[in-house]
């Protein structure tokens, strides 16, 4: 991604053949931290960038999908690109997604969608017309990906390598604790019920404390059941987390639940949050630790 000029803003135009993977692409850019816009009319691109330049949010990396859904507005994309190339503050690149006709026809049949340029006709008619209309834009693209034999995971990986500042897609883990009496967190990918572990709540001097305090965490971690659980879960995470990364997942939420979310779940979340942080970007959240009701 090296560039000799000192640009302050980066814009990636995601375009190409309908059905070639633009939805997966824009999701990938969102995972990389880009501010993403779907189906932006090209005529509004320069206006939008001017607003972003003046915005207090300091948005500097933008990815915008522009395709034939824009209808007549799409014709102005070449003009918009010409204007952006004259700007000294913005680095603009075009990512063009392509696939062979046979693959695109098959995808349209699988989704039972009509082609935007042939809403009542055969998909192949629309595909051929679209390919002709996009020929000039494809020639101006810095990146052209043929996704005919590319799985969504492979497309995400390639975008990550090309456009991430670190050279690879970001992956993060959020380890959280919660109390079952307040409900299971809806955003958790993996949920582990640790209510079978010895409960510090029934030890009078530990009851008002939480798993953030050494007395409680030591009590929970001292039991044979906890130690066996740690061994099994450590082995499970060593196997599963790389599989999630290979599938292109950008974030994993691991939740530990006990009755109130004060003692056992907090202890386990802290333990595994610290353990996993040696290999992954990790955050620890205790959802219910301040909702105590004795």
């Amino acid at each position: 991604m090296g560039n000799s000029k000192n640009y302050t803003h980066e814009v990636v135009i995601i375009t190409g053949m309908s059905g070639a993977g633009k939805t997966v692409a824009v999701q990938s850019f969102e995972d990389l931290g880009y501010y993403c816009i779907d189906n932006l009319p090209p005529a509004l691109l320069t206006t939008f960038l001017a607003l972003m330049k003046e915005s207090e949010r300091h948005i500097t990396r933008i990815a915008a999908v522009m395709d034939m859904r824009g209808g007549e507005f799409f014709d102005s994309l070449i003009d918009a690109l010409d204007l952006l190339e004259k700007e000294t503050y913005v680095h603009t690149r075009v990512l063009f997604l392509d696939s062979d006709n046979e693959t695109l026809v098959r995808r349209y049949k699988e989704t039972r969608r009509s082609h935007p340029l042939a809403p009542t006709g055969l998909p192949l008619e629309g595909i051929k017309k679209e390919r002709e209309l996009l020929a000039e834009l494809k020639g101006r693209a810095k990146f052209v990906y043929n996704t005919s034999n590319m799985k969504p995971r492979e497309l995400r990986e390639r975008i990550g390598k090309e456009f991430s500042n670190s050279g690879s897609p970001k992956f993060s883990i959020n380890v959280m604790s919660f109390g079952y009496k307040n409900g299971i967190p809806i955003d958790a990918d993996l949920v582990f019920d640790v209510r079978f572990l010895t409960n510090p709540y029934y030890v009078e001097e530990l009851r008002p404390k939480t798993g953030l305090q050494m007395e409680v965490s030591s009590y929970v971690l001292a039991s044979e059941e906890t130690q066996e659980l740690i061994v099994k879960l450590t082995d499970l995470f060593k196997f599963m987390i790389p599989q999630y990364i290979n599938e292109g997942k950008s974030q994993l939420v691991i939740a530990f639940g006990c009755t109130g979310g004060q003692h056992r779940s907090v202890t386990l979340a802290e333990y595994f949050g610290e353990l996993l942080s040696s290999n992954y970007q990790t955050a620890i959240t205790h959802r219910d630790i301040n909702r105590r009701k004795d």
Side-chain angles (χ1 to χ4, degrees):
M1 283 188 18
N3 194 54
S4 58
K5 296 183 179 180
N6 295 319
Y7 295 112
T8 59
H9 289 65
E10 176 188 358
V11 176
V12 178
I13 306 299
I14 306 169
T15 188
M17 298 297 293
S18 301
K22 291 190 289 292
T23 298
V24 173
V26 73
Q27 291 171 348
S28 302
F29 278 98
E30 190 170 28
D31 290 341
L32 292 173
Y34 284 74
Y35 185 93
C36 295
I37 315 160
D38 191 16
N39 200 19
L40 177 70
L44 299 180
L45 178 58
T46 53
T47 301
F48 176 80
L49 290 178
L51 291 173
M52 289 299 96
K53 187 179 180 182
E54 302 300 325
S55 172
E56 295 182 356
R57 294 181 60 186
H58 303 294
I59 298 172
T60 59
R61 305 174 76 205
I62 302 163
V65 178
M66 299 182 186
D67 54 27
M68 287 300 174
R69 290 175 297 169
E72 62 185 37
F73 294 109
F74 188 77
D75 296 336
S76 61
L77 179 53
I78 297 295
D79 294 335
L81 289 174
D82 288 339
L83 289 174
L84 287 178
E85 287 180 357
K86 298 176 182 178
E87 297 287 352
T88 58
Y89 74 94
V90 60
H91 182 207
T92 306
R93 293 179 292 176
V94 177
L95 169 60
F96 190 99
L97 300 177
D98 199 0
S99 285
D100 58 52
N101 289 353
E102 292 78 8
T103 299
L104 293 174
V105 169
R106 185 183 72 249
R107 290 174 181 172
Y108 271 101
K109 287 184 176 180
E110 290 173 349
T111 59
R112 298 183 179 180
R113 295 174 55 219
S114 59
H115 193 280
L117 296 183
T120 59
L122 297 174
L124 185 58
E125 295 177 359
I127 291 169
K128 289 181 177 179
K129 184 177 180 180
E130 183 178 33
R131 194 176 296 284
E132 182 178 336
L133 292 172
L134 293 177
E136 181 180 355
L137 183 58
K138 182 178 180 180
R140 295 186 58 158
K142 181 175 179 60
F143 302 94
V144 178
Y145 296 171
N146 189 312
T147 66
S148 300
N149 299 309
M150 192 180 293
K151 296 179 180 179
R153 170 179 59 81
E154 295 170 331
L155 176 57
R156 287 192 290 267
E157 288 178 351
R158 185 166 181 182
I159 289 173
K161 291 177 181 178
E162 296 275 15
F163 294 93
S164 172
N165 284 335
S166 62
S168 59
K170 296 179 180 178
F171 177 80
S172 63
I173 298 175
N174 191 317
V175 185
M176 68 182 302
S177 67
F178 71 95
Y180 273 93
K181 68 179 183 181
N182 298 313
I184 298 176
I186 61 174
D187 53 350
D189 298 297
L190 299 173
V191 177
F192 297 98
D193 184 347
V194 297
R195 287 177 291 183
F196 66 91
L197 299 176
T198 303
N199 194 350
Y201 179 86
Y202 295 107
V203 179
E204 187 174 352
E205 62 268 25
L206 299 181
R207 182 179 301 176
K209 301 179 184 295
T210 73
L212 294 178
Q213 294 168 286
M214 185 178 297
E215 300 95 322
V216 174
S217 61
S218 297
Y219 180 87
V220 174
L221 294 173
S223 74
E224 293 183 5
E225 292 82 4
T226 302
Q227 289 303 310
E228 185 173 353
L229 176 64
I230 286 174
V231 170
K232 293 182 181 298
L233 288 183
T234 299
D235 188 54
L236 179 67
F237 293 151
K238 284 182 179 179
F239 169 74
M240 292 187 68
I241 293 175
Q243 309 307 317
Y244 282 119
I245 295 174
N246 289 339
E247 283 299 312
K249 193 173 181 63
S250 62
Q251 184 185 55
L252 180 66
V253 180
I254 302 172
F256 292 92
C258 61
T259 304
Q262 306 291 319
H263 302 108
R264 295 164 290 180
S265 62
V266 172
T267 297
L268 270 295
E270 285 288 322
Y271 179 89
F272 280 103
E274 180 66 26
L275 181 69
L276 295 172
S277 67
S278 61
N279 294 309
Y280 307 102
Q281 179 180 325
T282 306
I284 303 174
T285 304
H286 300 300
R287 191 191 71 177
D288 299 328
I289 199 168
N290 294 318
R291 299 178 68 173
R292 181 189 300 276
K293 292 183 180 181
D294 290 329

